[in-house]
Amino acid sequence: MELVYLEEAHPKSFPKGRTFSKFMKESYHIIFLKNYLSNQNFGQRNSLHPSWNLETINNLELKFGGKLQNGLNRLISFDEKLEDKIGFKNVTFAINFEDFFNAQINQTNIFYLHNEAGEIKSLNNIIIEYKYSNYPIKETTIKLALTPKEFINQEWEGNINKIGGNPIWVQNHEDLCCPKCKNKMNFIFQLDSGLPDLNPNNNYEIMFGNDGVCYAFWCEKDKISGYLWQST
């Protein structure tokens, strides 16, 4: 897979010598706007961990959170301006949290097909056995910071909301395979529990299982996103 030097694409934004692959072998930490997170200090979060305060890349923001149509909630929207960094463009990752919860309880992963018009269609036939909140994550914009070398293989501590690079697993390594072509999907990002949502019944914080982490994957060939979570 071809590697492109970051400084060739954006000479003023990236340090020299760092490379990324077509599907984000480079690692980015997600940096939230000030006061977006109400609590960075529960579970493994540790508000003093330096991964919360990394230097962000200039003029680079992504849409995050909010509600879409058909019961879907946006996680992250990748703008076309990022195509040279991530290998695809104009893709919004979105999910129905109640479907996700019921799928994971039944040890099933959840997948969505993305078409050229931007429509997102579930590929699962989820039977809702358990009521679960489908309130969206609080809408905002996020910034990205290149992950320092010392956090490339970060443990489950501090800010583990990230895009690309190596997943930070709560349990053991897992792969997702595309339900259509059966090929291994590419890890795209992960989101931690505790992000602010609009659910007043859960302290306005989303939980992936028991204080767990949501992992998002992508098949470029078939334009399919897939999700799993791990928790304690």
Side-chain angles (χ1 to χ4, degrees), residues 168-214:
I168 301 169
W169 298 109
V170 178
Q171 303 290 345
N172 297 320
H173 175 99
E174 290 188 60
D175 289 322
L176 273 192
C177 290
C178 174
K180 185 173 181 181
C181 70
K182 310 303 180 184
N183 291 329
K184 179 180 173 182
M185 301 178 78
N186 298 283
F187 167 71
I188 302 299
F189 64 86
Q190 65 180 67
L191 299 177
D192 200 2
S193 289
L195 297 172
D197 68 9
L198 302 184
N199 181 9
N201 300 316
N202 197 41
N203 198 31
Y204 296 100
E205 292 178 344
I206 194 165
M207 288 290 156
F208 299 112
N210 181 24
D211 196 18
V213 176
C214 169

Side-chain angles (χ1 to χ4, degrees), residues 124-150:
N124 299 77
N125 184 18
I126 304 297
I127 297 174
I128 303 300
E129 299 181 38
Y130 304 95
K131 292 293 184 180
Y132 190 80
S133 164
N134 193 38
Y135 286 91
I137 293 174
K138 184 179 178 181
E139 190 167 359
T140 187
T141 58
I142 54 174
K143 293 181 177 292
L144 302 184
L146 281 168
T147 301
K149 291 182 179 179
E150 60 267 30

Side-chain angles (χ1 to χ4, degrees), residues 7 9 18 34 36 40 45 62 73 95 99 117 119 122 130-131 143 151 169 188 194-195 200 215 229-230:
E7 64 269 18
R18 302 193 65 153
K34 185 178 180 181
Y36 178 73
Q40 295 172 214
R45 303 325 181 262
L62 301 176
N73 302 293
I95 198 167
D99 287 353
E119 297 170 333
S122 175
Y130 304 95
K131 292 293 184 180
K143 293 181 177 292
F151 297 139
W169 298 109
I188 302 299
L195 297 172
Y215 303 87
W229 81 38
Q230 291 187 354

Side-chain angles (χ1 to χ4, degrees), residues 4-228:
V4 180
Y5 283 89
L6 292 173
E7 64 269 18
E8 292 176 357
H10 293 273
K12 294 183 180 179
S13 299
F14 295 92
K16 289 187 176 182
R18 302 193 65 153
T19 62
F20 70 102
S21 78
K22 184 177 180 181
F23 284 102
M24 299 191 300
K25 293 296 184 183
E26 187 61 86
S27 177
Y28 304 90
H29 271 65
I30 295 172
I31 305 300
F32 296 99
L33 300 180
K34 185 178 180 181
N35 300 324
Y36 178 73
L37 298 176
S38 60
N39 188 357
Q40 295 172 214
N41 207 30
F42 70 94
Q44 304 293 322
R45 303 325 181 262
N46 183 2
S47 62
L48 300 180
H49 196 276
S51 56
W52 289 110
N53 297 300
L54 301 174
E55 183 178 355
T56 59
I57 300 168
N58 292 332
N59 303 316
L60 183 54
E61 294 184 351
L62 301 176
K63 291 181 180 179
F64 185 85
K67 199 161 192 68
L68 304 179
Q69 296 179 345
N70 301 323
L72 294 178
N73 302 293
R74 177 194 288 118
L75 300 179
I76 302 177
S77 290
F78 288 92
D79 192 275
E80 70 276 0
K81 292 179 293 186
L82 296 176
E83 182 180 8
D84 59 339
K85 303 180 185 67
I86 63 177
F88 56 82
K89 62 180 179 179
N90 295 333
V91 176
T92 290
F93 286 79
I95 198 167
N96 181 299
F97 292 123
E98 187 172 47
D99 287 353
F100 190 32
F101 176 84
N102 279 272
Q104 291 288 277
I105 288 295
N106 290 302
Q107 299 183 331
T108 300
N109 297 314
I110 196 165
F111 299 93
Y112 293 89
L113 176 67
H114 301 242
N115 68 21
E116 293 183 357
E119 297 170 333
I120 305 170
K121 179 182 178 182
S122 175
L123 295 179
N124 299 77
N125 184 18
I126 304 297
I127 297 174
I128 303 300
E129 299 181 38
Y130 304 95
K131 292 293 184 180
Y132 190 80
S133 164
N134 193 38
Y135 286 91
I137 293 174
K138 184 179 178 181
E139 190 167 359
T140 187
T141 58
I142 54 174
K143 293 181 177 292
L144 302 184
L146 281 168
T147 301
K149 291 182 179 179
E150 60 267 30
F151 297 139
I152 290 296
N153 294 305
Q154 183 179 341
E155 298 293 331
W156 186 35
E157 181 182 13
N159 178 16
I160 62 169
N161 300 284
K162 65 190 298 286
I163 295 173
N166 300 322
I168 301 169
W169 298 109
V170 178
Q171 303 290 345
N172 297 320
H173 175 99
E174 290 188 60
D175 289 322
L176 273 192
C177 290
C178 174
K180 185 173 181 181
C181 70
K182 310 303 180 184
N183 291 329
K184 179 180 173 182
M185 301 178 78
N186 298 283
F187 167 71
I188 302 299
F189 64 86
Q190 65 180 67
L191 299 177
D192 200 2
S193 289
L195 297 172
D197 68 9
L198 302 184
N199 181 9
N201 300 316
N202 197 41
N203 198 31
Y204 296 100
E205 292 178 344
I206 194 165
M207 288 290 156
F208 299 112
N210 181 24
D211 196 18
V213 176
C214 169
Y215 303 87
F217 298 80
W218 178 251
C219 174
E220 172 64 13
K221 177 178 179 291
D222 295 307
K223 305 297 188 289
I224 291 174
S225 59
Y227 303 86
L228 63 85

